[in-house]
Amino acid sequence: MWERRDPVPGEPPRVIIIGAGVSGMATGCYGQMSGLETRIFEKHVLPGGCCTAWAREGYVFDYCIEWLIGTAPGNDANQVWRELGALDGKTITNFEMFNRVVDEDGREVIFYNDPDRLERHLTELSPVDAPLIRSFCRDLRRFTEFELYPFLTPPPLRTLRERLRTLRTVLPRFRLFWRTAATQMHTFADRFQDPLLRRAFRNIFFQDPETFPVLPFLFNMASAYHQNAGFPQGGSLGLARSIEDRYTGLGGRIDYRSRVERVLVEDGRAVGVELKGGERHYADHVVSACDGQTTIYQLLGGEYTSPRVERLYDELIDRPGILFPAVVSAFVGVDGEFDAADPHSSTYLLSDQEAERLPGALQPSLVVQLRSHYSEGFAPPGKSVIHCTYFSDFHYWAELRSTDRKAYWARKRELADFVRTVLVDRLPHLRDRIELVDIASPATTLRYTGNHVGSILAWKAFSDAEDVANELIAKDRMRLPGLANFWMTGQWVGMGGLIRAASTGRFVTQYLCAELGLGFRAEESANVEPWHPDRLGSLPQLDQRPVR
């Protein structure tokens, strides 16, 4: 059916989806539930895009999820995951703290999710800052009193009941939203007299997003307080595998190792795709769930743009502070297990001398997460996995890899040595227990996912790009001007974050069903089979050899 150009009366509309990331598979799931015939083409060998993992010597290196909005029942975000089967049969790990920040002298700030406990801890650290601490914790309590997860319906399709429900949540708290959204975290943090608190508040989200206001910090900590920002069993690839199972169980098909080279267009209408190698497949509609710039300027040759698209991809995309920075990941395999009481996540603030040893670093800090605390199955019995990350300059790594491969590998080895040094200095019991270090640079992210400049989360929320991206959903309805039967979905349309990626798959299917005159349907998965790490399947290695 995918070889013919024209639809057959009476048969379901055919939809080709480019990319088997979370948004692409979500589009496929909702399409299958709504009576469409869908097929996904994915260039990689795994589902999930950046929501992935790889393996080496029995260790599983979980790449993406640090917390997942929607892990507690009874809210709209969780409903999306239940519909996609993402949490089927899984336990959820929740932590009492969001993150810990430790300075060069070992003084630490623990950001507990409980506002009462957080207030006591911060006040003990800096009594002189008590008024400002009480203000922050008072706002955190207010955020714990409601839940607002607008991920079920795009704004133009919301019913009067849905709009009234949102207004009942927002209007009584309008001043709270306005004030915390208008106050930059940097501005707020600079008001503390304690120098550690000034630095620590910037790093609640592990590293400093730099342009974020106070609001998202409060929102996510409140979600964590309600255990609605936990870590699902199986981690990132486990989430992707569960959605893949849901999709194929609904009758969908994913073609792996199938790179789409261009979208086929006839008479201003998308009619299919051409794969690398020349193979062509046809459909009634095409949905791109891959990198936005690749979609517009490569798959479509830059022929279908608009002032909004051009503002995003020509004017804003290379402006500082618009995209989430690329990330360097160093996964460390350790012989032995950590104590259950050890903090799961710590941001270590580095001295100037230490920071100089971080290749391409954008900030003087290193995030250290004990990933074996997050879920079982990430390490062989009796061993553990640590994930170390930092924001890094994409161009530094990309240029090095393209011009001098030996220097690129040498820099990776230097980074591995530095990570060992930092870990042993902060955690002396790790001496002689580190078995291997595997490093993914921003150039690696580009190579495996195609994300522009290796940015995992695409556009930054609360940046100049957010309003423009929101208009792509609400005004353009996830379409491009002059091109019929073509849609865009994913983080390059709906902003960063896995729940947003999943919700754009729901949104685009609702728009598609409205155009076709079909009823949109969404049903919760009935699968109750317990999750097991074996369901991750065969995992690839990142490179032929680890950086030892």
Side-chain angles (χ1 to χ4, degrees):
M1 64 180 297
W2 302 99
E3 288 72 34
R4 68 171 189 265
R5 290 174 178 264
D6 299 318
V8 175
E11 289 193 1
R14 300 165 300 165
V15 180
I16 283 177
I17 302 165
I18 306 170
V22 169
S23 62
M25 291 191 293
T27 304
C29 286
Y30 289 116
Q32 293 293 134
M33 283 187 265
S34 300
L36 306 175
E37 191 73 31
T38 69
R39 184 175 179 181
I40 300 175
F41 291 99
E42 167 58 47
K43 70 174 186 176
H44 197 19
V45 298
L46 295 175
C50 288
C51 190
T52 190
W54 55 91
R56 187 178 297 280
E57 299 178 20
Y59 291 100
V60 175
F61 300 143
D62 187 77
Y63 184 58
C64 176
I65 299 176
E66 293 174 315
W67 74 89
L68 183 71
I69 294 295
T71 53
N75 59 80
D76 291 349
N78 182 257
Q79 180 178 329
V80 172
W81 295 129
R82 294 199 310 271
E83 291 166 354
L84 297 178
L87 306 179
D88 285 353
K90 296 178 179 179
T91 59
I92 304 296
T93 299
N94 292 286
F95 300 103
E96 293 182 347
M97 52 170 272
F98 204 92
N99 189 33
R100 180 180 70 140
V101 180
V102 186
D103 72 6
E104 302 88 332
D105 298 321
R107 190 165 175 247
E108 65 179 26
V109 180
I110 301 174
F111 288 96
Y112 295 105
N113 301 317
D114 182 339
D116 295 335
R117 189 176 181 185
L118 176 63
E119 183 174 335
R120 289 194 300 270
H121 170 65
L122 296 178
T123 304
E124 289 173 0
L125 285 175
S126 180
V128 70
D129 286 309
L132 194 56
I133 292 167
R134 284 196 297 270
S135 172
F136 182 84
C137 293
R138 182 171 57 247
D139 284 343
L140 179 56
R141 290 186 191 93
R142 291 168 176 166
F143 270 82
T144 65
E145 294 170 355
F146 66 91
E147 292 185 308
L148 181 63
Y149 302 106
F151 302 125
L152 294 183
T153 310
L157 299 184
R158 288 175 188 164
T159 64
L160 178 60
R161 182 178 179 181
E162 288 174 315
R163 295 177 184 180
L164 288 175
R165 187 178 69 166
T166 300
L167 285 175
R168 282 196 295 269
T169 301
V170 172
L171 286 180
R173 302 170 178 88
F174 177 78
R175 291 184 64 185
L176 174 67
F177 291 148
W178 179 84
R179 176 170 51 79
T180 56
T183 304
Q184 286 285 308
M185 176 53 87
H186 276 214
T187 302
F188 180 81
D190 284 344
R191 295 166 60 190
F192 286 100
Q193 296 186 47
D194 186 296
L196 176 57
L197 291 187
R198 286 200 296 270
R199 300 168 72 190
F201 266 79
R202 290 167 158 82
N203 289 280
I204 294 175
F205 285 172
F206 312 127
Q207 287 203 280
D208 181 3
E210 292 185 336
T211 58
F212 272 19
V214 174
L215 187 152
F217 294 90
L218 297 168
F219 173 85
N220 283 281
M221 292 179 73
S223 295
Y225 173 76
H226 287 299
Q227 299 191 342
N228 199 40
F231 188 88
Q233 187 182 15
S236 306
L237 184 57
L239 188 90
R241 285 294 195 195
S242 291
I243 302 175
E244 176 192 45
D245 288 345
R246 174 69 165 151
Y247 174 61
T248 56
L250 289 165
R253 171 179 171 181
I254 303 179
D255 290 57
Y256 291 107
R257 301 182 186 274
S258 299
R259 180 192 293 268
V260 173
E261 291 287 298
R262 67 186 182 104
V263 174
L264 301 176
V265 179
E266 296 178 358
D267 299 323
R269 178 171 65 96
V271 297
V273 297
E274 180 176 301
L275 306 183
K276 183 179 181 179
E279 186 177 332
R280 293 187 172 191
H281 299 271
Y282 296 92
D284 308 306
H285 296 267
V286 177
V287 177
S288 177
C290 65
D291 177 73
Q293 190 172 65
T294 299
T295 297
I296 293 165
Y297 293 108
Q298 294 184 30
L299 303 186
L300 291 168
E303 296 184 17
Y304 303 94
T305 63
S306 67
R308 268 191 283 274
V309 170
E310 291 171 358
R311 175 161 167 74
L312 276 178
Y313 290 100
D314 293 341
E315 179 184 341
L316 293 177
I317 196 165
D318 293 320
R319 182 185 296 179
I322 295 296
L323 296 183
F324 271 96
V327 173
V328 169
S329 288
F331 288 95
V332 182
V334 175
D335 182 17
E337 298 179 346
F338 289 96
D339 190 291
D342 290 339
H344 72 285
S345 177
S346 302
T347 297
Y348 289 103
L349 304 177
L350 304 177
S351 67
D352 292 341
Q353 293 79 8
E354 289 177 319
E356 288 177 359
R357 296 182 58 191
L358 271 183
L362 299 178
Q363 297 176 7
S365 58
L366 184 71
V367 181
V368 176
Q369 296 180 331
L370 309 184
R371 297 299 277 191
S372 298
H373 278 9
Y374 289 62
S375 181
E376 87 283 6
F378 288 165
K383 300 180 186 294
S384 305
V385 171
I386 301 174
H387 187 195
C388 303
T389 59
Y390 65 92
F391 286 156
S392 183
D393 177 27
F394 166 80
H395 300 287
Y396 171 89
W397 290 98
E399 182 177 355
L400 194 61
R401 187 177 188 276
S402 64
T403 59
D404 192 338
R405 194 67 60 87
K406 288 184 178 179
Y408 175 76
W409 276 97
R411 202 55 45 84
K412 279 192 170 187
R413 288 192 294 271
E414 292 170 9
L415 176 57
D417 290 339
F418 174 76
V419 167
R420 288 190 192 91
T421 300
V422 170
L423 290 178
V424 171
D425 179 69
R426 271 69 172 185
L427 305 169
H429 62 283
L430 293 182
R431 188 178 303 277
D432 301 324
R433 290 172 53 191
I434 294 176
E435 296 189 328
L436 62 85
V437 180
D438 216 27
I439 291 176
S441 76
T444 310
T445 304
L446 176 67
R447 186 158 54 100
Y448 279 91
T449 69
N451 279 22
H452 181 67
V453 297
S455 178
I456 298 174
L457 291 173
W459 312 109
K460 271 190 180 180
F462 305 98
S463 72
D464 290 342
E466 182 170 23
D467 289 341
V468 183
N470 287 339
E471 289 177 347
L472 292 179
I473 293 177
K475 294 186 177 180
D476 296 340
R477 299 197 170 202
M478 307 169 82
R479 309 289 297 271
L480 293 176
L483 182 58
N485 299 1
F486 182 82
W487 315 76
M488 290 179 65
T489 186
Q491 295 188 142
W492 293 96
V493 177
M495 309 298 290
L498 287 173
I499 184 58
R500 288 181 180 270
S503 69
T504 60
R506 203 178 198 273
F507 290 177
V508 77
T509 308
Q510 288 170 301
Y511 280 137
L512 183 53
C513 287
E515 179 169 303
L516 294 171
L518 299 174
F520 172 78
R521 293 195 295 273
E523 303 169 351
E524 293 184 16
S525 170
N527 179 26
V528 295
E529 180 183 354
W531 170 266
H532 190 274
D534 289 345
R535 294 179 63 186
L536 291 177
S538 177
L539 277 68
Q541 292 186 353
L542 184 66
D543 290 299
Q544 292 299 312
R545 55 183 178 176
V547 183
R548 292 194 178 277

